Amino acid sequence: MFKPHVTVACLVHAAGKFLIVEETINGKALWNQPAGHLEADETLAQAAERELWEETGIRAAPQHFIRLHQWIAPDHTPFLRFLFAIDLSETCATEPHDSDIDRCLWVSAQEILQADNLRSPLVAESLRCWQTGVRYPLSLIGEFNWPFTEGVKHGSA
């Protein structure tokens, strides 16, 4: 059965800068937006907020939905990546709680678009999507019969 990885990502903007997390994978420092996998019994927006806190130490809720990307990684892993926008009034200090994150950086759009160390092409594509100015309300993503109740069987659609 086909089961793509469901992930969330936060494009965080403040004072003309964008928040990037840096992690070392196979000996190379790679950039990504704060991102990660959806966990059981959480909404997509909750997952985005959790991942932002785990990877940066920043507590902020997504304000808008930007885009859903369906992507197949070079290793043939399929992904559904939900991209959220968070606009802050100013850059702030970061403190990653996830041991996989080496550091967080506030960088310009140009630095991201010209970087040769992006974890995936979705990092630059997410920025380009943000730059279009198109924002969708979070209500576009609905949770049906949420939270799960005793009478609902997990795993059925």
Coordinates of all heavy atoms in Angstrom, one line a residue, residues 58-96:
I58 N 11.3 28.5 19.4 CA 10.3 29.6 19.2 C 8.9 29.0 19.4 O 8.5 28.0 18.7 CB 10.5 30.3 17.9 CG1 11.8 31.0 17.8 CG2 9.3 31.3 17.6 CD1 12.2 31.5 16.4
R59 N 8.1 29.7 20.2 CA 6.7 29.3 20.3 C 5.8 30.3 19.5 O 5.7 31.5 19.9 CB 6.3 29.3 21.8 CG 6.9 28.2 22.6 CD 6.0 27.9 23.8 NE 6.6 26.8 24.6 CZ 6.4 25.5 24.4 NH1 5.7 25.1 23.5 NH2 7.0 24.7 25.2
A60 N 5.3 29.8 18.4 CA 4.4 30.6 17.6 C 3.6 29.7 16.8 O 4.0 28.6 16.4 CB 5.3 31.5 16.6
A61 N 2.3 30.1 16.5 CA 1.4 29.3 15.8 C 1.4 29.7 14.3 O 1.6 30.9 14.0 CB 0.0 29.4 16.4
P62 N 1.2 28.8 13.4 CA 1.0 29.1 12.0 C -0.1 30.2 11.8 O -1.1 30.1 12.5 CB 0.7 27.8 11.3 CG 1.2 26.8 12.2 CD 1.0 27.3 13.6
Q63 N 0.1 31.1 11.0 CA -0.9 32.1 10.7 C -1.6 31.9 9.4 O -2.8 32.3 9.2 CB -0.2 33.5 10.7 CG 0.4 33.9 12.0 CD 1.5 34.9 11.9 OE1 2.2 35.0 10.9 NE2 1.7 35.6 13.0
H64 N -0.9 31.3 8.4 CA -1.5 31.0 7.1 C -1.0 29.7 6.6 O 0.1 29.2 6.9 CB -1.2 32.1 6.1 CG -1.7 33.4 6.5 ND1 -0.9 34.4 7.1 CD2 -2.9 34.0 6.3 CE1 -1.6 35.4 7.4 NE2 -2.9 35.2 6.9
F65 N -1.8 29.1 5.7 CA -1.4 27.9 4.9 C -0.9 28.5 3.6 O -1.6 29.3 3.0 CB -2.5 27.0 4.8 CG -2.2 25.8 3.9 CD1 -1.3 24.8 4.3 CD2 -2.9 25.6 2.7 CE1 -1.0 23.8 3.5 CE2 -2.6 24.5 1.9 CZ -1.7 23.6 2.3
I66 N 0.2 28.0 3.1 CA 0.7 28.5 1.8 C 0.5 27.5 0.7 O 0.0 27.8 -0.3 CB 2.2 28.8 1.9 CG1 2.4 30.0 2.9 CG2 2.8 29.3 0.5 CD1 3.9 30.4 3.1
R67 N 1.0 26.2 0.9 CA 0.9 25.3 -0.2 C 1.1 23.8 0.3 O 1.8 23.6 1.3 CB 1.9 25.6 -1.3 CG 1.9 24.6 -2.4 CD 2.3 25.1 -3.7 NE 1.7 26.3 -4.2 CZ 2.2 27.1 -5.1 NH1 3.3 26.8 -5.7 NH2 1.6 28.2 -5.4
L68 N 0.6 22.9 -0.4 CA 0.8 21.5 -0.3 C 1.7 21.1 -1.4 O 1.3 21.3 -2.6 CB -0.5 20.7 -0.3 CG -0.4 19.2 -0.4 CD1 0.4 18.6 0.8 CD2 -1.7 18.5 -0.5
H69 N 2.8 20.5 -1.1 CA 3.7 20.0 -2.1 C 3.7 18.4 -2.1 O 3.9 17.9 -1.0 CB 5.2 20.4 -1.9 CG 5.4 21.9 -2.2 ND1 5.5 22.9 -1.3 CD2 5.5 22.5 -3.4 CE1 5.7 24.0 -1.9 NE2 5.6 23.8 -3.2
Q70 N 3.5 17.8 -3.2 CA 3.7 16.4 -3.3 C 5.0 16.2 -4.0 O 5.3 16.7 -5.1 CB 2.6 15.8 -4.2 CG 2.6 14.3 -4.2 CD 1.4 13.7 -5.0 OE1 0.5 14.4 -5.4 NE2 1.4 12.4 -5.1
W71 N 5.9 15.4 -3.4 CA 7.3 15.3 -3.8 C 7.8 13.9 -3.6 O 7.5 13.3 -2.6 CB 8.1 16.3 -3.1 CG 9.6 16.4 -3.5 CD1 10.1 16.8 -4.7 CD2 10.7 16.2 -2.6 NE1 11.5 16.8 -4.7 CE2 11.9 16.4 -3.4 CE3 10.9 15.8 -1.3 CZ2 13.2 16.2 -2.9 CZ3 12.1 15.6 -0.8 CH2 13.3 15.8 -1.6
I72 N 8.7 13.5 -4.5 CA 9.4 12.2 -4.4 C 10.9 12.6 -4.3 O 11.4 13.1 -5.2 CB 9.1 11.3 -5.5 CG1 7.6 10.9 -5.5 CG2 9.9 10.0 -5.4 CD1 7.1 10.0 -6.7
A73 N 11.5 12.2 -3.2 CA 12.9 12.5 -2.9 C 13.7 11.6 -3.8 O 13.3 10.6 -4.4 CB 13.2 12.2 -1.4
P74 N 15.0 12.0 -4.0 CA 15.9 11.2 -4.8 C 16.0 9.7 -4.4 O 16.3 8.9 -5.3 CB 17.3 11.9 -4.6 CG 16.9 13.3 -4.3 CD 15.6 13.2 -3.5
D75 N 15.8 9.4 -3.2 CA 15.8 8.0 -2.7 C 14.5 7.3 -2.9 O 14.3 6.2 -2.4 CB 16.3 7.9 -1.3 CG 15.3 8.5 -0.3 OD1 14.2 9.0 -0.7 OD2 15.5 8.4 0.9
H76 N 13.5 8.0 -3.6 CA 12.2 7.5 -4.0 C 11.2 7.5 -2.9 O 10.2 6.9 -2.9 CB 12.3 6.1 -4.6 CG 13.2 6.0 -5.8 ND1 12.9 6.6 -7.0 CD2 14.4 5.5 -6.0 CE1 13.9 6.5 -7.9 NE2 14.9 5.8 -7.3
T77 N 11.5 8.2 -1.8 CA 10.6 8.4 -0.7 C 9.6 9.4 -1.1 O 9.9 10.5 -1.4 CB 11.3 8.8 0.6 OG1 12.3 7.9 0.9 CG2 10.3 8.9 1.8
P78 N 8.3 9.0 -1.0 CA 7.2 10.0 -1.3 C 6.8 10.9 -0.1 O 6.8 10.4 1.0 CB 6.0 9.1 -1.8 CG 6.2 7.9 -0.9 CD 7.7 7.7 -0.8
F79 N 6.6 12.1 -0.4 CA 6.2 13.1 0.7 C 5.0 13.9 0.3 O 4.8 14.2 -0.9 CB 7.4 14.1 0.9 CG 8.5 13.5 1.7 CD1 9.6 13.0 0.9 CD2 8.6 13.5 3.0 CE1 10.7 12.5 1.6 CE2 9.7 13.0 3.7 CZ 10.8 12.5 3.0
L80 N 4.2 14.2 1.3 CA 3.2 15.3 1.2 C 3.6 16.3 2.2 O 3.7 16.0 3.4 CB 1.8 14.7 1.6 CG 1.2 13.7 0.6 CD1 -0.1 13.2 1.1 CD2 1.0 14.4 -0.8
R81 N 4.0 17.5 1.8 CA 4.6 18.5 2.7 C 3.7 19.7 2.7 O 3.4 20.4 1.7 CB 6.0 18.9 2.2 CG 6.7 19.9 3.1 CD 8.1 20.2 2.5 NE 9.1 20.8 3.3 CZ 9.4 22.1 3.2 NH1 8.9 22.9 2.3 NH2 10.4 22.6 4.0
F82 N 3.1 20.0 3.9 CA 2.2 21.1 4.2 C 3.0 22.3 4.6 O 3.7 22.2 5.7 CB 1.2 20.7 5.2 CG 0.2 19.7 4.7 CD1 0.5 18.3 4.7 CD2 -1.1 20.0 4.2 CE1 -0.3 17.3 4.3 CE2 -2.0 19.0 3.8 CZ -1.6 17.7 3.8
L83 N 3.0 23.4 3.9 CA 3.8 24.6 4.2 C 2.9 25.7 4.8 O 1.9 26.1 4.3 CB 4.4 25.1 2.9 CG 5.2 26.4 3.0 CD1 6.5 26.1 3.9 CD2 5.7 26.8 1.6
F84 N 3.4 26.1 6.0 CA 2.7 27.2 6.8 C 3.5 28.4 6.8 O 4.8 28.3 6.8 CB 2.4 26.7 8.2 CG 1.4 25.5 8.2 CD1 1.8 24.2 8.2 CD2 0.0 25.8 8.3 CE1 0.9 23.2 8.2 CE2 -0.9 24.8 8.3 CZ -0.4 23.4 8.3
A85 N 2.9 29.6 7.0 CA 3.6 30.9 7.1 C 3.4 31.4 8.6 O 2.4 31.3 9.1 CB 3.0 31.9 6.2
I86 N 4.6 31.9 9.1 CA 4.5 32.6 10.4 C 5.3 33.9 10.2 O 6.5 33.8 9.8 CB 5.2 31.7 11.5 CG1 4.4 30.4 11.7 CG2 5.3 32.5 12.8 CD1 5.1 29.4 12.6
D87 N 4.7 35.0 10.4 CA 5.3 36.3 10.3 C 5.5 36.8 11.7 O 4.5 36.9 12.5 CB 4.5 37.3 9.5 CG 4.5 36.9 8.0 OD1 5.7 36.9 7.5 OD2 3.5 36.6 7.4
L88 N 6.7 37.1 12.1 CA 7.0 37.7 13.4 C 7.4 39.2 13.3 O 7.9 39.6 12.2 CB 8.2 36.9 14.1 CG 8.0 35.4 14.3 CD1 9.3 34.8 14.8 CD2 6.8 35.1 15.2
S89 N 7.2 40.0 14.3 CA 7.5 41.4 14.2 C 9.0 41.7 14.2 O 9.4 42.7 13.6 CB 6.8 42.1 15.4 OG 7.3 41.6 16.6
E90 N 9.8 40.8 14.8 CA 11.2 40.9 14.7 C 11.9 39.6 14.9 O 11.3 38.6 15.4 CB 11.7 41.9 15.8 CG 11.3 41.4 17.2 CD 11.6 42.5 18.3 OE1 11.9 43.6 17.9 OE2 11.5 42.1 19.5
T91 N 13.1 39.5 14.4 CA 13.9 38.3 14.6 C 14.1 38.0 16.1 O 14.1 39.0 16.9 CB 15.3 38.3 13.9 OG1 16.0 39.4 14.5 CG2 15.1 38.5 12.4
C92 N 14.2 36.8 16.5 CA 14.3 36.5 18.0 C 15.4 35.4 18.1 O 15.8 34.8 17.2 CB 13.0 36.1 18.6 SG 12.2 34.8 17.7
A93 N 15.8 35.3 19.4 CA 16.8 34.3 19.7 C 16.2 32.9 19.5 O 15.0 32.7 19.6 CB 17.3 34.5 21.2
T94 N 17.1 32.0 19.2 CA 16.7 30.6 19.0 C 17.4 29.7 20.0 O 18.5 30.0 20.4 CB 16.9 30.1 17.6 OG1 18.3 30.3 17.3 CG2 16.1 31.0 16.6
E95 N 16.8 28.6 20.3 CA 17.4 27.5 21.1 C 16.8 26.2 20.8 O 15.8 25.8 21.3 CB 17.1 27.8 22.6 CG 17.8 26.9 23.5 CD 17.4 27.1 25.0 OE1 17.0 28.2 25.4 OE2 17.6 26.2 25.8
P96 N 17.5 25.5 19.8 CA 17.0 24.2 19.4 C 16.9 23.2 20.5 O 17.8 23.1 21.4 CB 18.0 23.8 18.3 CG 18.7 25.0 17.9 CD 18.7 25.9 19.1

